[in-house]
Amino acid sequence: MIPKFASKDATRICELRNRNTRVSQASASKTNTGNFFEDFRLGQKIQHATPRTVTLGDVAVYNGLFGPRFAVQSSDVFAAKIGYPRAPIDDLLVFHIVFGKTVPDVSLNAVANLGYADCRFLKAVYPGDTLSAASEVIGLKENSNKKTGIVYVRSRGANQNGEIVLDYARWVMVRKRDESAPAPAEKVPELPRSVEPSQLGAACPPIDAAAYDNALAGSPHRFGDYKKGEKIDHSFGITVENAEHMIATRLYQNTARIHFDHFTESKGRFGHRLIYGGHAISLARALSFNGLGNAFHVAAINGGRHVAPLFAGLTVFAWSEVLATADVPGRKDIGALRLRTVATKDRPCRDFPYKDGDEYDPAVILDLDYWVLMPR
Amino acid sequence: MIPKFASKDATRICELRNRNTRVSQASASKTNTGNFFEDFRLGQKIQHATPRTVTLGDVAVYNGLFGPRFAVQSSDVFAAKIGYPRAPIDDLLVFHIVFGKTVPDVSLNAVANLGYADCRFLKAVYPGDTLSAASEVIGLKENSNKKTGIVYVRSRGANQNGEIVLDYARWVMVRKRDESAPAPAEKVPELPRSVEPSQLGAACPPIDAAAYDNALAGSPHRFGDYKKGEKIDHSFGITVENAEHMIATRLYQNTARIHFDHFTESKGRFGHRLIYGGHAISLARALSFNGLGNAFHVAAINGGRHVAPLFAGLTVFAWSEVLATADVPGRKDIGALRLRTVATKDRPCRDFPYKDGDEYDPAVILDLDYWVLMPR
Amino acid sequence: MIPKFASKDATRICELRNRNTRVSQASASKTNTGNFFEDFRLGQKIQHATPRTVTLGDVAVYNGLFGPRFAVQSSDVFAAKIGYPRAPIDDLLVFHIVFGKTVPDVSLNAVANLGYADCRFLKAVYPGDTLSAASEVIGLKENSNKKTGIVYVRSRGANQNGEIVLDYARWVMVRKRDESAPAPAEKVPELPRSVEPSQLGAACPPIDAAAYDNALAGSPHRFGDYKKGEKIDHSFGITVENAEHMIATRLYQNTARIHFDHFTESKGRFGHRLIYGGHAISLARALSFNGLGNAFHVAAINGGRHVAPLFAGLTVFAWSEVLATADVPGRKDIGALRLRTVATKDRPCRDFPYKDGDEYDPAVILDLDYWVLMPR
């Protein structure tokens, strides 16, 4: 049954009847104003819009925007030689596409994207696959100022066969439409601080490590060459332009206005278009090739903080620390490195800027805690 | 026979002999200076150059530039479910590619692009199709100042099988090379003010409306939910950058210098590179998803005016009015909405800016009158 | 055997043992700092990293960046009609992709890219082909200031079948890490001043010249219409934006920092990000369509000088001189034109700016000497 909605009441009734409900209906208007904090319900399930067939065209645009050099995603021949059917789609590109579909329902009225947790890449995605996304509200917490609240969602991306390719939790500070609207019962979900090694690698086929050619990959360093505590300065900086971040964010069909509308943003909080936080993640990942060239797969993201905003004209640098090395139970082909990758703006990372006490160095824009796989 | 040209006289003779004539030959120079008003002849047929195989790469670049969210073009699965063989190429991308091919012959020496009429999308285009374009001069009218004249052309885009995919009329004010050149007999063609509903839908296969999923499409509003006179503010604004409009316009192989050459334009009429008018059309269409998300197919364009120029740094907003709703004879799956979509620069459209009396609001850059199809 | 490296000594031993050696190892760091002049050895063979499957996505991004209109690369139908299996990848796109792979090993510490010679396109490349690159050091010459030296390399791009698609020589001025490091024995290779006509056309299948349609190609001028000494002003200018050149250069996976890092470059020699020299080559080639529209294949590059740097905001113009016309032995379908294409910044080329005496006109940024093929 395809729901037709005339009013918010009808919406709530239909929610109970039909899980594929689009929840946001401005009253008489046909325009989506997005959900405000009081529109969310614990346990609510949202089927997001805009299924997307991911193509080699998307891969090329992403390559032009970030220039990643990981050989597995770059070459069908290299990928096939080590065990993939062909070059898989870049893990972060999959993430951004799925994330983009959640924005109209979850974060149109967000004040801030607070964090991620328990993000697992579960199945490789290939050109021609079609991705769709759905979310469940797993927590709500109104803020004491009664103007905003935190919404916790678990979001999943699925392919055309219904297989889950990506699963993550995110929490966002969302505005209230009406400060007097009653606060919901508070629920802050328990989320794992990190993904367990045993949960890693579902999206990574068995790798023929002997066939994995370091010279072609661009790095002689494999799993066993990295030690806990080791820090790597990724050295290069990339300056971001407005056209670039807007092309990237639109590529993901993420249309949050704060990234695009200079007329409005010039008078707003930042004075500039805010760059989508995922843009810094992809830049940092591309920069990390220098020193982590054989980290061919992002298997999971444990957490991420967009510590400070990024704007066009700034130059992104990055460094990484190996937080842990781990075997993946049942796998002899690859090992897992837990990394903290820190990205900065206008601040080379020779000295690994991070925190002064409890406060982040003001140059830090991203603190990403994630697992990568490397051939043994 | 492949024509070889030494002079303009030979050119005119060959025109009579061979319809595949390239009409513009600068005298001894091998460079194309384009046609001036006095070079056009009523009834002249022009086979434009540069056939183009449209690919998934083009789709991705277009997606990065405009971020359209219409599910039919976004997902092969969604499209196939409702009756397409796969996701068709975005209608406006087809338009821009065909239009781009006419530029070297029709509008290199244009002063202004005056209008469009009777534009019909006649056959769906898919990745791998090859498009070419041809035009016929259907009207000429020299201006009283003897410095310019209006050229009316009917242009058609065809695919590799010779099937016409697009057919439209356009008129352009073109400079004269030589003011003393005699004025041609005046002919102003009669062009329909709008395309009839019976002419709509040739490019749209029978749609399985029951299989059309509103939640995945991103809008609960279908044909029957729209009323004549209804106005929709599409809300968001998109700021345009020079790199973006140049990448877009080159993607269409439209090389009109006014869009690309800041050195020259900085001293010219506007002081800036003029953004191709079609860029605003595509931005407005992408913005219109918000409120018209199920308007999955642009079936025809009745008319369009580029009311004011657009330059980089400006922010485009848009609103639409439903001018009419219509049945499409013989079709029970879809209905047609006639829309006026107005785009503005640096002017949100909460109050639907349009005209003060007969004059356009100075913020208006585009007034587009077109038919879209929606599932019933 | 997959080499593992702990130190530069081990590296040199492995070089003797294993030709697939990555030569650059910063001591304890995992980051690639690139090779300095004293790291190169005459006869050294380098297998570059990052094999790349070239796709229709790459073609589209390249089209958006440069807007080339040559029909052979634009249309599968046009290409197939004249003798190709389908539209081949643009010759210069192949060049940039191969070149990009040599950068991390050859020119990360370059002061200047001095020249090219003997560049031959040996096999057509098609979407789906995977390119990799390898180089051999064929010359070394330390400069008298002992701070830099010239490294001469011959680089080859190969496809997935090991067939060489591109072969060229390049020389670069590279910094020394340590001025006191001893100078190597000097060797300046003899390189041909130009590629012989008999060496042209390996990448061009037999062309059905009668089936080659001038009108669709966009130019009535074929091989026989060009004369030695003839000059052509390509007329239009294209202004370059930072986002564009960065997207292009990353598309080629060329990550040389000087193109991307405004934070560092703003304090450096130029004050701005230096645009990759190949960007001007591709712009000039795209501009050259106007006057050389049937020069459908770049068969060889005899030499190229990046005479002056190019930065964003500048407008590129170009002109060409026909240096020679030549038969290609054994070929009746095509002829070869030897061209000098000169590109300028902020300088229209109506008067063919080139040199004042021995000095280049200060507006000249590129002097490219190359062979193109044209149908007879």
Side-chain angles (χ1 to χ4, degrees):
Chain A
M1 190 208 80
I2 299 161
K4 288 191 164 56
F5 301 108
S7 72
K8 293 253 306 302
D9 289 336
T11 300
R12 293 212 189 96
I13 293 168
C14 284
E15 281 171 38
L16 299 171
R17 282 194 304 189
N18 185 339
R19 293 218 162 148
N20 282 336
T21 293
R22 283 228 65 215
V23 293
S24 158
Q25 302 301 332
S27 52
S29 163
K30 292 195 167 57
T31 313
N32 176 24
T33 52
N35 286 305
F36 291 88
F37 178 73
E38 60 265 43
D39 297 325
F40 292 96
R41 297 284 175 273
L42 196 64
Q44 180 178 4
K45 292 196 200 302
I46 306 171
Q47 172 64 57
H48 300 299
T50 318
R52 169 68 168 280
T53 303
V54 186
T55 73
L56 288 172
D58 300 318
V59 171
V61 176
Y62 190 83
N63 283 349
L65 291 164
F66 301 106
R69 285 182 284 156
F70 297 94
V72 171
Q73 290 78 15
S74 177
S75 162
D76 282 335
V77 176
F78 189 97
K81 197 152 179 232
I82 67 168
Y84 283 85
R86 59 184 292 192
I89 301 290
D90 187 285
D91 306 302
L92 295 179
L93 177 55
V94 171
F95 177 85
H96 299 314
I97 288 175
V98 171
F99 181 98
K101 288 170 196 337
T102 72
V103 165
D105 300 301
V106 175
S107 50
L108 265 195
N109 299 304
V111 172
N113 194 19
L114 298 175
Y116 309 94
D118 199 32
C119 172
R120 285 156 291 114
F121 291 86
L122 297 173
K123 196 159 175 67
V125 177
Y126 297 97
D129 283 348
T130 298
L131 301 181
S132 56
S135 297
E136 179 178 348
V137 178
I138 59 172
L140 291 166
K141 179 179 185 306
E142 184 162 311
N143 289 327
S144 48
N145 65 14
K146 300 188 138 322
K147 296 188 183 193
T148 57
I150 302 176
V151 179
Y152 298 78
V153 291
R154 178 161 290 280
S155 296
R156 292 185 179 93
N159 67 19
Q160 62 280 7
N161 301 318
E163 298 163 303
I164 305 299
V165 302
L166 174 70
D167 183 325
Y168 67 95
R170 166 163 97 111
W171 54 107
V172 197
M173 190 179 306
V174 181
R175 269 185 289 271
K176 287 181 73 172
R177 180 188 294 104
D178 173 5
E179 290 184 28
S180 66
E186 186 175 302
K187 162 77 174 175
V188 177
E190 277 195 41
L191 293 165
R193 293 186 74 95
S194 69
V195 177
E196 289 299 314
S198 58
Q199 297 175 284
L200 303 175
C204 176
I207 297 301
D208 183 345
Y212 185 107
D213 181 335
N214 285 357
L216 289 178
S219 168
H221 309 295
R222 295 193 151 195
F223 175 66
D225 296 314
Y226 292 85
K227 307 266 173 288
K228 175 175 169 168
E230 163 169 12
K231 292 182 182 181
I232 303 166
D233 169 21
H234 301 305
S235 188
F236 290 175
I238 304 182
T239 305
V240 191
E241 302 295 327
N242 272 311
E244 294 171 336
H245 77 81
M246 294 200 296
I247 289 171
T249 308
R250 277 186 300 246
L251 184 71
Y252 318 138
Q253 291 163 316
N254 176 346
T255 54
R257 69 187 308 168
I258 201 175
H259 308 310
F260 298 105
D261 179 350
H262 175 69
F263 177 81
T264 301
E265 297 308 316
S266 61
K267 309 180 207 108
R269 175 160 54 133
F270 296 122
H272 302 279
R273 281 158 281 180
L274 175 71
I275 294 178
Y276 164 53
H279 202 80
I281 294 178
S282 284
L283 283 173
R285 168 71 174 158
L287 288 169
S288 79
F289 177 86
N290 193 1
L292 288 161
N294 287 332
F296 68 93
H297 175 55
V298 176
I301 299 174
N302 301 309
R305 285 197 58 186
H306 298 299
V307 177
L310 179 65
F311 307 106
L314 296 170
T315 303
V316 176
F317 295 87
W319 65 274
S320 296
E321 176 175 355
V322 178
L323 298 177
T325 68
D327 296 337
V328 175
R331 302 283 299 243
K332 296 195 156 119
D333 53 336
I334 47 88
L337 296 183
R338 182 175 178 181
L339 300 172
R340 162 178 290 118
T341 293
V342 176
T344 65
K345 56 187 174 187
D346 282 4
R347 177 73 160 77
C349 296
R350 246 170 263 115
D351 59 338
F352 313 113
Y354 189 50
K355 284 183 174 170
D356 301 309
D358 284 339
E359 295 289 317
Y360 278 100
D361 182 301
V364 172
I365 58 170
L366 171 71
D367 181 355
L368 193 71
D369 174 351
Y370 60 115
W371 287 104
V372 293
L373 302 185
M374 272 205 179
R376 289 180 178 273
Chain B
M1 188 208 82
I2 300 162
K4 287 187 163 61
F5 302 108
S7 71
K8 295 251 307 298
D9 290 337
T11 301
R12 294 211 189 97
I13 294 166
C14 284
E15 284 172 33
L16 298 172
R17 280 194 306 188
N18 185 341
R19 290 208 166 161
N20 282 335
T21 292
R22 281 230 65 215
V23 293
S24 156
Q25 302 300 334
S27 53
S29 161
K30 292 195 168 56
T31 312
N32 176 24
T33 52
N35 287 306
F36 291 88
F37 179 72
E38 60 266 43
D39 296 327
F40 293 95
R41 296 284 176 274
L42 195 62
Q44 179 178 3
K45 292 193 200 303
I46 306 169
Q47 173 65 56
H48 301 299
T50 319
R52 167 71 168 280
T53 303
V54 187
T55 74
L56 288 172
D58 299 319
V59 172
V61 176
Y62 190 82
N63 284 348
L65 291 164
F66 301 106
R69 286 182 284 156
F70 298 95
V72 171
Q73 290 79 14
S74 176
S75 162
D76 283 333
V77 176
F78 190 97
K81 197 151 181 233
I82 67 168
Y84 283 86
R86 59 185 291 194
I89 302 289
D90 186 285
D91 305 302
L92 294 180
L93 176 54
V94 171
F95 177 86
H96 299 314
I97 288 175
V98 170
F99 181 98
K101 290 170 195 336
T102 71
V103 166
D105 300 301
V106 174
S107 49
L108 266 195
N109 300 304
V111 171
N113 194 19
L114 298 175
Y116 309 94
D118 199 34
C119 171
R120 287 157 290 113
F121 290 87
L122 297 173
K123 196 159 175 69
V125 177
Y126 298 97
D129 283 350
T130 298
L131 301 181
S132 56
S135 297
E136 179 178 347
V137 177
I138 60 173
L140 291 167
K141 180 178 185 307
E142 183 162 309
N143 289 327
S144 47
N145 65 12
K146 302 186 138 315
K147 297 188 184 192
T148 58
I150 303 176
V151 179
Y152 299 77
V153 291
R154 179 163 290 280
S155 297
R156 292 186 179 91
N159 67 19
Q160 64 278 6
N161 301 318
E163 298 163 304
I164 305 300
V165 302
L166 174 70
D167 182 325
Y168 67 95
R170 166 163 95 112
W171 54 107
V172 197
M173 190 178 306
V174 182
R175 268 185 288 271
K176 286 181 74 172
R177 181 188 293 104
D178 172 5
E179 290 184 29
S180 65
E186 182 174 304
K187 162 77 174 177
V188 177
E190 277 195 41
L191 293 164
R193 294 184 76 94
S194 69
V195 176
E196 288 301 313
S198 58
Q199 297 176 283
L200 302 175
C204 176
I207 297 300
D208 183 345
Y212 186 107
D213 182 337
N214 284 359
L216 288 179
S219 168
H221 309 295
R222 295 194 152 195
F223 176 66
D225 297 314
Y226 292 85
K227 307 268 174 287
K228 174 173 168 169
E230 163 170 12
K231 293 183 181 181
I232 303 167
D233 169 22
H234 301 305
S235 188
F236 291 175
I238 304 182
T239 305
V240 191
E241 303 294 328
N242 273 311
E244 294 171 336
H245 77 81
M246 293 200 295
I247 288 171
T249 308
R250 278 186 300 245
L251 184 72
Y252 318 138
Q253 290 164 317
N254 176 345
T255 53
R257 69 187 310 169
I258 200 175
H259 308 311
F260 298 104
D261 180 349
H262 175 69
F263 177 80
T264 302
E265 297 308 316
S266 61
K267 308 179 207 113
R269 175 159 55 133
F270 297 122
H272 301 280
R273 281 157 283 180
L274 175 70
I275 295 178
Y276 163 53
H279 201 80
I281 293 178
S282 284
L283 284 172
R285 169 70 176 157
L287 288 169
S288 79
F289 178 86
N290 194 1
L292 290 161
N294 288 332
F296 69 93
H297 175 54
V298 176
I301 299 173
N302 301 309
R305 286 197 58 185
H306 299 298
V307 177
L310 180 65
F311 307 106
L314 295 170
T315 302
V316 176
F317 295 85
W319 65 274
S320 296
E321 176 175 354
V322 178
L323 298 177
T325 68
D327 296 337
V328 175
R331 303 282 302 244
K332 297 197 158 116
D333 53 335
I334 47 86
L337 296 183
R338 183 174 177 181
L339 301 172
R340 161 178 290 119
T341 293
V342 175
T344 65
K345 55 186 174 187
D346 282 2
R347 176 73 159 77
C349 296
R350 245 169 264 115
D351 58 339
F352 312 113
Y354 189 49
K355 285 183 175 171
D356 301 311
D358 285 338
E359 294 289 315
Y360 278 100
D361 183 301
V364 171
I365 59 170
L366 171 71
D367 181 353
L368 193 71
D369 173 352
Y370 60 114
W371 287 103
V372 294
L373 302 185
M374 272 204 181
R376 291 182 176 271
Chain C
M1 190 207 80
I2 299 163
K4 287 189 164 56
F5 302 109
S7 71
K8 294 250 307 299
D9 289 337
T11 301
R12 294 210 190 99
I13 293 165
C14 284
E15 282 172 37
L16 297 171
R17 282 192 307 187
N18 185 341
R19 292 216 165 153
N20 282 332
T21 292
R22 284 230 62 218
V23 294
S24 155
Q25 303 299 334
S27 53
S29 163
K30 292 193 169 56
T31 312
N32 176 24
T33 51
N35 288 306
F36 290 89
F37 178 73
E38 60 264 41
D39 296 327
F40 293 95
R41 296 285 176 274
L42 196 63
Q44 180 179 2
K45 291 194 200 306
I46 306 170
Q47 172 65 57
H48 301 299
T50 318
R52 169 70 168 280
T53 304
V54 187
T55 74
L56 289 171
D58 299 319
V59 171
V61 175
Y62 190 83
N63 283 348
L65 291 164
F66 301 106
R69 287 183 282 156
F70 298 95
V72 171
Q73 290 78 15
S74 176
S75 162
D76 283 334
V77 176
F78 189 96
K81 198 152 180 232
I82 67 168
Y84 283 85
R86 59 184 291 195
I89 302 289
D90 186 286
D91 305 302
L92 295 179
L93 176 54
V94 171
F95 177 86
H96 299 314
I97 288 176
V98 171
F99 181 98
K101 288 169 196 337
T102 71
V103 166
D105 300 301
V106 174
S107 50
L108 266 194
N109 299 305
V111 171
N113 195 19
L114 298 174
Y116 309 94
D118 200 31
C119 171
R120 285 155 293 114
F121 291 87
L122 297 172
K123 196 160 173 68
V125 176
Y126 299 96
D129 283 349
T130 298
L131 300 181
S132 56
S135 297
E136 178 178 348
V137 177
I138 60 171
L140 291 166
K141 180 179 185 306
E142 184 162 308
N143 289 327
S144 48
N145 66 13
K146 300 187 139 318
K147 297 188 183 192
T148 57
I150 303 175
V151 179
Y152 299 78
V153 291
R154 178 160 293 279
S155 297
R156 292 185 179 90
N159 67 19
Q160 63 279 7
N161 301 318
E163 298 163 304
I164 305 300
V165 302
L166 174 71
D167 182 328
Y168 66 96
R170 166 162 97 111
W171 54 107
V172 197
M173 189 178 307
V174 181
R175 268 186 289 272
K176 286 180 74 173
R177 180 188 295 103
D178 172 3
E179 291 185 28
S180 65
E186 183 174 304
K187 161 79 174 173
V188 176
E190 276 196 42
L191 294 165
R193 294 185 74 93
S194 69
V195 176
E196 288 301 313
S198 58
Q199 297 175 284
L200 303 174
C204 176
I207 298 300
D208 183 345
Y212 185 106
D213 181 335
N214 285 358
L216 288 179
S219 167
H221 309 294
R222 295 191 151 198
F223 175 66
D225 296 314
Y226 292 85
K227 308 268 174 288
K228 173 173 169 169
E230 163 169 13
K231 293 182 181 179
I232 303 166
D233 169 22
H234 301 304
S235 189
F236 291 175
I238 304 182
T239 305
V240 191
E241 303 294 328
N242 273 311
E244 294 171 337
H245 76 82
M246 293 199 297
I247 288 171
T249 309
R250 277 186 301 245
L251 184 71
Y252 317 139
Q253 291 163 316
N254 176 345
T255 54
R257 68 187 310 169
I258 199 174
H259 308 310
F260 299 106
D261 180 349
H262 175 67
F263 176 80
T264 302
E265 297 307 316
S266 61
K267 307 178 207 117
R269 177 162 49 134
F270 296 122
H272 300 280
R273 282 159 280 180
L274 175 71
I275 294 178
Y276 163 53
H279 201 81
I281 293 177
S282 284
L283 284 172
R285 168 70 175 160
L287 289 168
S288 79
F289 177 86
N290 193 3
L292 289 161
N294 287 331
F296 69 92
H297 175 54
V298 176
I301 299 174
N302 300 310
R305 286 198 56 187
H306 298 298
V307 176
L310 179 65
F311 308 106
L314 295 170
T315 303
V316 177
F317 295 86
W319 66 274
S320 297
E321 175 175 355
V322 177
L323 299 177
T325 68
D327 296 336
V328 175
R331 303 281 303 242
K332 297 197 157 113
D333 52 336
I334 47 87
L337 296 183
R338 181 175 178 181
L339 301 172
R340 161 176 293 120
T341 293
V342 176
T344 65
K345 56 186 175 188
D346 282 2
R347 178 72 160 76
C349 295
R350 246 170 263 114
D351 58 339
F352 312 113
Y354 189 50
K355 284 182 174 172
D356 300 312
D358 283 338
E359 295 289 316
Y360 278 101
D361 183 301
V364 172
I365 59 170
L366 171 71
D367 181 354
L368 193 71
D369 173 351
Y370 60 116
W371 287 103
V372 293
L373 302 185
M374 273 203 181
R376 290 182 176 272

